[in-house]
Amino acid sequence: FIQINLRMIYPMVKESYFLRTDCLIQSPSHEEIIISTNLSKNYLVNVKQNVLSAQSKPTLISSAAGSRIYKAVSKNGMYATATSSGFGLCDWKSLPESTGEYDTDTSFNSVGWIGKCVIAGGDNGKLIVVDSVSQKKKKEFSGHSGSVNAVKARDENSFVSAGFDGICRIWDLRTGEAVKKFTPSAWGSASRPKLGSYITTLDVWEDWVVCGGGPNLSLWYLKEDSGVSLLDMGNTIPSVVTFVQDTIIAAGNDSFIYHWGLSGKLKYKVTSKLDSVSDVILDSRSRDRTFLVAAGAPAELNVFMDLGYLSHTVPYLTIERACATFPILPNDDHRVCDS
């Protein structure tokens, strides 16, 4: 009886109510952006003359049932995806077909480039390294307990990973060993016991690491044994953070995009038209200005000029309706809850 009533109700509700962006993928030419969603639908939008205009019309390019892209990174004419059904390498020229798939029995939550290789972190606590040229697996790293939610290269021979266990590990690509580790929730300034110790996102710039999740966002210097700066987001859980020269930009499960200095001083707190922000990308090729694109929930892109001025929005779903099956709810994110 309940199932019948749900099927009567959901077709009457727009799919956009349930749809949200998981990640954005920018092409090497910066002329295309792929929007990956929690309903396993992927949209392509063209960027003309270095500007994502309000008249842009994203088109549906793929809908892989059961395969959801959590994270993706683009480099050297290819993009790598961490999905619910494995890790894949894709060529922009053969979009949206995958050119290589690995560990299809594992759900991957994070992915990053290191030199000509790609690192992917799984929900089983393991990391794999794949050569993007030969497309062969080179190494496998073990150490995390629970899902690996974030991974980022430090240099050509080392990278940083973090996840559900709340520990940030610095790995040596050559030896396969973790050479250093630290626990952000153990630093009193960043600790938020009610939210947990898991890490959802991080970024690396030389010897600096910024990370957060259950713990508040914090900046760490890898030659020190404690955090350097607290980047206070209140009770917001960050979903994305990135270094932009001497500025740190972050966003999470609220409507704001935060800009901090390395000292921890908040420069700007920019309001978006999103209820939550899952990913941001930047484009600074134009001599006149830099634009930032933010996405999350609801199903639209927010375009900011000069990083802080909200210029316009680009909806990518307006008339499609929900399937008769039970939808994925807006706050469902197993990267936070997996063990």
Side-chain angles (χ1 to χ4, degrees):
F1 176 79
I2 295 177
Q3 187 177 17
I4 293 174
N5 276 285
L6 287 174
R7 291 186 175 184
M8 292 173 61
I9 294 171
Y10 282 122
M12 300 172 62
V13 181
K14 284 186 178 180
E15 192 178 65
S16 57
Y17 179 81
F18 304 106
L19 193 71
R20 74 172 188 273
T21 304
D22 276 337
C23 67
L24 299 172
I25 316 167
Q26 191 171 46
S27 69
S29 66
H30 291 221
E31 294 178 352
E32 297 94 13
I33 297 173
I34 294 177
I35 306 163
S36 178
T37 74
N38 63 318
L39 297 186
S40 303
K41 290 188 175 183
N42 302 317
Y43 297 83
L44 180 69
V45 59
N46 292 313
V47 181
K48 297 181 179 180
Q49 298 178 345
N50 296 345
V51 176
L52 180 60
S53 73
Q55 285 71 45
S56 299
K57 295 181 179 180
T59 56
L60 182 66
I61 57 171
S62 65
S63 180
S67 183
R68 176 179 172 188
I69 300 175
Y70 295 122
K71 293 291 182 182
V73 288
S74 180
K75 186 180 179 181
N76 300 330
M78 303 188 73
Y79 65 94
T81 58
T83 80
S84 57
S85 59
F87 156 70
L89 276 170
C90 306
D91 191 324
W92 279 95
K93 295 179 181 179
S94 60
L95 184 76
E97 299 298 324
S98 174
T99 61
E101 296 181 347
Y102 308 86
D103 290 335
T104 53
D105 293 330
T106 302
S107 177
F108 284 87
N109 305 322
S110 56
V111 64
W113 286 92
I114 180 166
K116 294 182 179 180
C117 295
V118 182
I119 321 158
D123 63 359
N124 56 5
K126 294 182 179 181
L127 297 115
I128 63 170
V129 178
V130 174
D131 188 301
S132 64
V133 179
S134 66
Q135 298 193 13
K136 293 182 179 180
K137 187 191 295 187
K138 294 184 65 176
K139 286 186 179 180
E140 186 173 293
F141 297 76
S142 298
H144 286 285
S145 58
S147 61
V148 182
N149 296 333
V151 59
K152 194 66 181 287
R154 180 187 180 191
D155 52 40
E156 291 289 314
N157 297 309
S158 62
F159 64 93
V160 183
S161 65
F164 184 80
D165 60 10
I167 301 173
C168 291
R169 288 177 168 85
I170 296 88
W171 301 88
D172 189 313
L173 185 62
R174 296 161 295 187
T175 65
E177 300 293 328
V179 296
K180 188 180 180 67
K181 63 181 180 180
F182 60 90
T183 306
S185 62
W187 186 38
S189 299
S191 178
R192 297 188 294 189
K194 291 184 179 180
L195 295 179
S197 61
Y198 58 87
I199 302 298
T200 54
T201 185
L202 66 81
D203 197 18
V204 181
W205 177 50
E206 297 180 350
D207 289 328
W208 298 90
V209 175
V210 60
C211 58
N216 219 329
L217 204 64
S218 56
L219 180 65
W220 296 70
Y221 186 55
L222 293 181
K223 296 181 180 179
E224 302 287 342
D225 293 327
S226 65
V228 176
S229 301
L230 175 69
L231 313 177
D232 190 9
M233 297 184 72
N235 289 321
T236 298
I237 297 173
S239 56
V240 59
V241 64
T242 184
F243 284 102
V244 183
Q245 298 178 352
D246 61 347
T247 299
I248 297 170
I249 297 178
N253 62 337
D254 64 14
S255 300
F256 303 107
I257 298 173
Y258 302 81
H259 298 239
W260 285 279
L262 297 180
S263 66
K265 182 179 179 181
L266 183 64
K267 292 182 176 182
Y268 311 106
K269 185 178 178 181
V270 182
T271 303
S272 73
K273 290 188 176 181
L274 300 166
D275 296 327
S276 64
V277 182
S278 57
D279 202 4
V280 299
I281 56 173
L282 293 91
D283 194 326
S284 57
R285 293 174 304 140
S286 173
R287 294 181 180 180
D288 300 326
R289 54 180 47 182
T290 297
F291 74 80
L292 178 148
V293 180
E300 67 179 34
L301 305 180
N302 282 202
V303 181
F304 296 83
M305 294 300 178
D306 300 324
L307 303 183
Y309 165 66
L310 178 58
S311 173
H312 55 274
T313 64
V314 181
Y316 61 86
L317 184 77
T318 55
I319 58 174
E320 292 188 54
R321 295 187 179 275
C323 302
T325 55
F326 195 87
I328 300 173
L329 297 179
N331 292 325
D332 171 49
D333 193 338
H334 86 279
R335 288 170 292 172
V336 171
C337 304
D338 269 1
S339 59

